[in-house]
Amino acid sequence: MTAATPATGGDGPGVGPGVGPDVSAGAGGVGPQDAARAVAEARRVVVGQQQMVERLAVAVLARGHVLLEGVPGTAKTLAARSFATVLGGGFARVQFTPDLVPSDIVGTRIWSPSSETFSVELGPVFTNVVLADEINRAPAKVQSAMLELMGEGQVSLAGRTHAVPSPFTVIATQNPVESEGVYPLPEAQRDRFLLQVDVPLPGAADEAEILRRMSVAPPRARPVLDPARVLALQDAADAVYVHPLVSDYVVRLVMATRQPAAYGAPDVAPLLEAGASPRASLGLLAASRALALVRGRDHVLPDDVRELAVEVVAHRLVLSLDALADGVLAQGVVRRLLQAVPPPVPVGGDER
């Protein structure tokens, strides 16, 4: 892949014609090296799942939420807890169960007999990182309590709005193979996750390393960042340069989920009931910027968009009944669209 050499001039911070800002040392003196140190520290604890750890960093820097999906025992909870420790802020783990009620998550009003008044008791979600463990074990009324929280970063209680602390990220886990006692996430809930990351079982080499590293005195993550530095890294991710051709590529990919035939994939049209929402475009661009920053670059490549497209877009698609009956996977649909929609081909620059 060749990289374009941006022209001088500009019409906005980091987007459009012009040279991207220098993110080697962003606001507060932070830069890509800080993001890389955080990822490396979490990988010291979590064996093998390198992509999952990197995606957690992408979600945090892009101000998004992430859904980890995998069978039990694949270090989803360990990765979430370890990465929260690395970030250095507050952390809360909420075990989702069938008997959970919304007030267990967001809080409730409590009557005080002595003062004869109600007071608001805020729930455990008022922290920097919330681990929603096995989120699909809770019924719809509990899952819906997360919508305002994840979409707007606030909770409405007793006629008042309570903002969550900043930075704020929800890391949710779910088991894709269980069908008893679970409640599938509704489309509105899935759309609020920036990324859905599939967590595979480890290979033989990773399994041996797990035995060596975790069976006696398992390592523990150490704080590398703090909330102020995380906020500065988020600002640095916002400043990562995006060429107009790359942003156009993001739009074309998302539009192809709504009008597949117009973008060279007529065979995909019968598979989709509804395409991705505008959150997919915004999320794909934000995640690509964050990935570029984590990897030490001050500009987004089309390869960043292609690498993240499945994890950002697939879970937002609504498959048709025929596709569900045939066992079609949303991830496969996005991969087909990646083949149909050509990426931009820059002219000049060095090979990357």
Side-chain angles (χ1 to χ4, degrees):
M1 183 75 200
T2 58
T5 303
T8 57
D11 55 0
V15 181
V19 177
D22 181 13
V23 297
S24 59
V30 301
Q33 70 280 358
D34 296 279
R37 284 176 54 232
V39 171
E41 177 63 21
R43 285 176 173 171
R44 190 178 63 84
V45 178
V46 182
V47 178
Q49 305 287 3
Q50 297 190 3
Q51 178 173 306
M52 173 176 61
V53 174
E54 184 180 60
R55 297 303 192 258
L56 289 174
V58 167
V60 171
L61 297 187
R63 298 183 177 88
H65 314 290
V66 59
L67 176 62
L68 305 178
E69 185 173 86
V71 299
T74 50
K76 300 186 297 295
T77 301
L78 175 64
R81 185 182 294 275
S82 300
F83 201 75
T85 301
V86 168
L87 296 180
F91 172 76
R93 178 183 184 274
V94 180
Q95 179 64 56
F96 278 61
T97 58
D99 61 345
L100 210 64
V101 295
S103 60
D104 293 331
I105 299 174
V106 299
T108 187
R109 293 197 305 168
I110 297 178
W111 172 254
S112 174
S114 59
S115 61
E116 296 185 347
T117 58
F118 282 100
S119 61
V120 174
E121 182 73 19
L122 298 179
V125 296
F126 286 86
T127 187
N128 297 115
V129 179
V130 177
L131 171 58
D133 215 4
E134 299 186 83
I135 189 172
N136 57 333
R137 288 196 176 277
K141 66 178 181 180
V142 178
Q143 293 179 11
S144 62
M146 302 285 289
L147 296 179
E148 181 185 12
L149 175 71
M150 296 173 63
E152 303 174 45
Q154 64 183 35
V155 172
S156 298
L157 283 174
R160 294 183 56 190
T161 299
H162 305 269
V164 297
S166 194
F168 176 75
T169 297
V170 173
I171 303 174
T173 70
Q174 71 173 0
N175 180 354
V177 298
E178 287 187 326
S179 58
E180 297 294 333
V182 295
Y183 304 83
L185 298 182
E187 287 76 10
Q189 177 82 356
R190 288 190 279 120
D191 196 34
R192 279 165 170 77
F193 284 104
L194 173 65
L195 300 166
Q196 178 175 323
V197 181
D198 290 331
V199 184
L201 287 166
D206 290 335
E207 193 89 12
E209 179 63 16
I210 290 172
L211 291 178
R212 186 194 69 80
R213 193 186 303 185
M214 309 295 287
S215 58
V216 181
R220 297 183 180 277
R222 297 165 299 195
V224 171
L225 302 172
D226 56 64
R229 294 173 74 82
V230 173
L231 290 174
L233 279 172
Q234 290 177 342
D235 292 338
D238 291 341
V240 171
Y241 175 80
V242 181
H243 194 279
L245 290 177
V246 176
S247 59
D248 176 70
Y249 182 47
V250 170
V251 172
R252 287 188 289 120
L253 278 174
V254 174
M255 290 302 297
T257 68
R258 305 174 197 169
Q259 304 169 20
Y263 290 87
D267 55 306
V268 174
L271 305 177
L272 292 174
E273 184 71 24
S277 73
R279 281 198 184 104
S281 302
L282 294 169
L284 187 52
L285 191 63
S288 298
R289 278 177 155 148
L291 182 63
L293 181 68
V294 168
R295 295 182 176 176
R297 279 184 278 106
D298 62 355
H299 59 282
V300 174
L301 296 175
D303 286 348
D304 297 326
V305 177
R306 293 178 65 84
E307 183 174 341
L308 291 168
V310 172
E311 293 167 332
V312 174
V313 177
H315 64 281
R316 306 174 192 271
L317 302 179
V318 181
L319 299 180
S320 66
L321 294 178
D322 289 341
L324 294 173
D326 292 339
V328 174
L329 298 178
Q331 291 86 343
V333 172
V334 177
R335 293 188 183 99
R336 170 68 183 93
L337 294 175
L338 285 170
Q339 295 174 349
V341 180
V345 181
V347 177
D350 298 327
E351 290 290 336
R352 290 183 182 267

